[in-house]
Short mmCIF file of all heavy atoms in Angstrom, two decimals:
data_model
loop_
_atom_site.label_atom_id
_atom_site.label_comp_id
_atom_site.label_asym_id
_atom_site.label_seq_id
_atom_site.Cartn_x
_atom_site.Cartn_y
_atom_site.Cartn_z
N LYS A 20 18.55 -27.62 22.87
CA LYS A 20 18.17 -26.46 23.69
C LYS A 20 19.26 -25.38 23.66
O LYS A 20 18.96 -24.20 23.72
CB LYS A 20 17.91 -26.88 25.15
CG LYS A 20 16.62 -27.65 25.35
CD LYS A 20 15.41 -26.82 25.07
CE LYS A 20 14.90 -26.15 26.30
NZ LYS A 20 13.78 -25.28 26.03
N SER A 21 20.52 -25.78 23.56
CA SER A 21 21.60 -24.78 23.53
C SER A 21 21.58 -23.95 22.25
O SER A 21 22.13 -22.86 22.21
CB SER A 21 22.96 -25.46 23.69
OG SER A 21 23.31 -26.18 22.53
N ARG A 22 20.93 -24.46 21.21
CA ARG A 22 20.84 -23.72 19.94
C ARG A 22 19.55 -22.93 19.82
O ARG A 22 19.36 -22.20 18.84
CB ARG A 22 20.93 -24.70 18.77
CG ARG A 22 22.25 -25.40 18.65
CD ARG A 22 22.40 -26.11 17.32
NE ARG A 22 21.20 -26.70 16.81
CZ ARG A 22 20.95 -28.00 16.73
NH1 ARG A 22 21.81 -28.87 17.18
NH2 ARG A 22 19.82 -28.44 16.20
N GLU A 23 18.66 -23.04 20.78
CA GLU A 23 17.36 -22.37 20.69
C GLU A 23 17.50 -20.85 20.82
O GLU A 23 18.21 -20.36 21.68
CB GLU A 23 16.44 -22.89 21.80
CG GLU A 23 15.08 -22.28 21.75
CD GLU A 23 14.19 -22.80 22.88
OE1 GLU A 23 14.66 -22.88 24.02
OE2 GLU A 23 13.04 -23.12 22.59
N VAL A 24 16.82 -20.14 19.96
CA VAL A 24 16.81 -18.68 19.98
C VAL A 24 15.36 -18.23 20.20
O VAL A 24 14.45 -18.73 19.56
CB VAL A 24 17.33 -18.08 18.65
CG1 VAL A 24 17.21 -16.56 18.65
CG2 VAL A 24 18.75 -18.52 18.38
N VAL A 25 15.19 -17.31 21.14
CA VAL A 25 13.88 -16.70 21.37
C VAL A 25 14.07 -15.21 21.11
O VAL A 25 14.92 -14.58 21.72
CB VAL A 25 13.38 -16.94 22.81
CG1 VAL A 25 12.05 -16.25 23.03
CG2 VAL A 25 13.30 -18.42 23.13
N ARG A 26 13.29 -14.68 20.20
CA ARG A 26 13.49 -13.30 19.78
C ARG A 26 12.16 -12.61 19.55
O ARG A 26 11.32 -13.11 18.82
CB ARG A 26 14.29 -13.33 18.49
CG ARG A 26 14.72 -12.02 17.95
CD ARG A 26 15.72 -12.29 16.86
NE ARG A 26 15.56 -11.33 15.79
CZ ARG A 26 15.98 -11.50 14.57
NH1 ARG A 26 16.58 -12.61 14.22
NH2 ARG A 26 15.80 -10.58 13.67
N ARG A 27 11.97 -11.46 20.21
CA ARG A 27 10.77 -10.65 19.99
C ARG A 27 11.11 -9.59 18.95
O ARG A 27 12.10 -8.88 19.06
CB ARG A 27 10.32 -9.99 21.29
CG ARG A 27 9.11 -9.08 21.05
CD ARG A 27 8.53 -8.59 22.32
NE ARG A 27 7.74 -9.69 22.85
CZ ARG A 27 7.22 -9.71 24.05
NH1 ARG A 27 7.41 -8.72 24.87
NH2 ARG A 27 6.51 -10.74 24.45
N ILE A 28 10.26 -9.51 17.94
CA ILE A 28 10.49 -8.57 16.85
C ILE A 28 9.31 -7.61 16.77
O ILE A 28 8.17 -8.03 16.58
CB ILE A 28 10.68 -9.31 15.52
CG1 ILE A 28 11.88 -10.25 15.64
CG2 ILE A 28 10.83 -8.33 14.37
CD1 ILE A 28 12.07 -11.15 14.46
N LYS A 29 9.61 -6.33 16.94
CA LYS A 29 8.57 -5.30 16.85
C LYS A 29 8.35 -4.92 15.39
O LYS A 29 9.28 -4.93 14.59
CB LYS A 29 8.97 -4.06 17.65
CG LYS A 29 8.92 -4.28 19.13
CD LYS A 29 8.95 -2.94 19.87
CE LYS A 29 8.67 -3.14 21.31
NZ LYS A 29 7.27 -3.10 21.64
N MET A 30 7.10 -4.61 15.08
CA MET A 30 6.74 -4.21 13.72
C MET A 30 5.43 -3.46 13.78
O MET A 30 4.77 -3.43 14.82
CB MET A 30 6.63 -5.43 12.82
CG MET A 30 5.53 -6.40 13.23
SD MET A 30 5.64 -7.98 12.40
CE MET A 30 7.00 -8.74 13.26
N LYS A 31 5.05 -2.87 12.67
CA LYS A 31 3.75 -2.21 12.61
C LYS A 31 2.67 -3.23 12.89
O LYS A 31 2.72 -4.35 12.37
CB LYS A 31 3.53 -1.59 11.23
CG LYS A 31 4.44 -0.45 10.91
CD LYS A 31 4.12 0.08 9.52
CE LYS A 31 5.06 1.19 9.12
NZ LYS A 31 4.78 1.66 7.76
N LYS A 32 1.68 -2.85 13.68
CA LYS A 32 0.65 -3.83 14.03
C LYS A 32 -0.13 -4.31 12.81
O LYS A 32 -0.65 -5.42 12.80
CB LYS A 32 -0.27 -3.29 15.13
CG LYS A 32 -1.03 -2.06 14.81
CD LYS A 32 -1.82 -1.62 16.02
CE LYS A 32 -2.41 -0.25 15.80
NZ LYS A 32 -3.08 0.22 17.01
#
Side-chain angles (χ1 to χ4, degrees):
K20 287 295 268 176
S21 72
R22 294 193 324 250
E23 182 181 45
V24 176
V25 178
R26 186 168 144 201
R27 177 172 282 170
I28 300 173
K29 289 196 170 272
M30 63 193 76
K31 293 180 183 178
K32 61 183 170 185

